[in-house]
Amino acid sequence: MQTESEVKINTLHSLETIFREHYSSLFRYVHTMVKDDDEAKDVLSDMFLNLWTQKDNLQITNIKAYLFRAARNGALKTLTAKQTDELTEQCWNITEQAFSPFERLVAKESVQIVERLINKLPAMRKEIIQLRLTGLKNHEIAKVLDVTEKKIEYHMREAIEQLGYYMRHENYDRATIAGGLLLVNIMLTFI
């Protein structure tokens, strides 16, 4: 069995395995940055092509952290001035089969409230929260952002404190916020 410290990409099969395991979470992450399906796909195509062409020169100890860092760097290169901070409606599309019309309305509003609160955070804290919502652990986020795990823990605590402050001062119902966070987490898990 291969450990994280022994990541080898020496066959197309090993690349395909890595692709299948990580593509959907990487796509969601890149999409939150570039806000466009085609651009997100282009970023990931370039990243995986680069991974294959550089396979002999790379020394990867944590493939998940490496991929998220490479995806982040690729997404940052493609960002344009017209980009907004909000996630696209398509990303958070809540299907008719999932809820009644009223429940869909409440769910969409909850997600939008959570997005607005997260978008108020400083850039680093916002990115940490987004990475956390995609399922990364603190040590993986630290590797993606190339900072210490302590710094991630600090910013996570500060982000939670700031979000709590925003909730209290904007009179949002805690149940609405909790529902929105749960929906965001569920959507990121299954998209």
Side-chain angles (χ1 to χ4, degrees), residues 85 113-123 125-126 159 162-163 165-167 169-170 172:
D85 286 336
I113 289 169
V114 169
E115 286 176 358
R116 282 194 300 269
L117 293 176
I118 290 172
N119 283 333
K120 287 182 173 189
L121 294 172
R125 291 178 189 162
K126 176 182 171 183
Q162 276 183 288
L163 290 172
Y165 175 83
Y166 296 149
M167 276 180 19
H169 286 82
E170 294 185 26
Y172 289 124

Side-chain angles (χ1 to χ4, degrees), residues 9-20 48 51-52:
I9 305 167
N10 48 11
T11 65
L12 283 175
H13 177 70
S14 61
L15 180 67
E16 181 182 6
T17 301
I18 291 168
F19 179 88
R20 288 182 187 274
F48 278 104
L51 182 66
W52 178 249

Side-chain angles (χ1 to χ4, degrees), residues 97-112:
Q97 298 82 13
F99 301 100
S100 72
F102 178 73
E103 290 169 329
R104 266 194 323 278
L105 177 68
V106 171
K108 281 186 177 187
E109 180 61 25
S110 295
V111 169
Q112 289 172 349

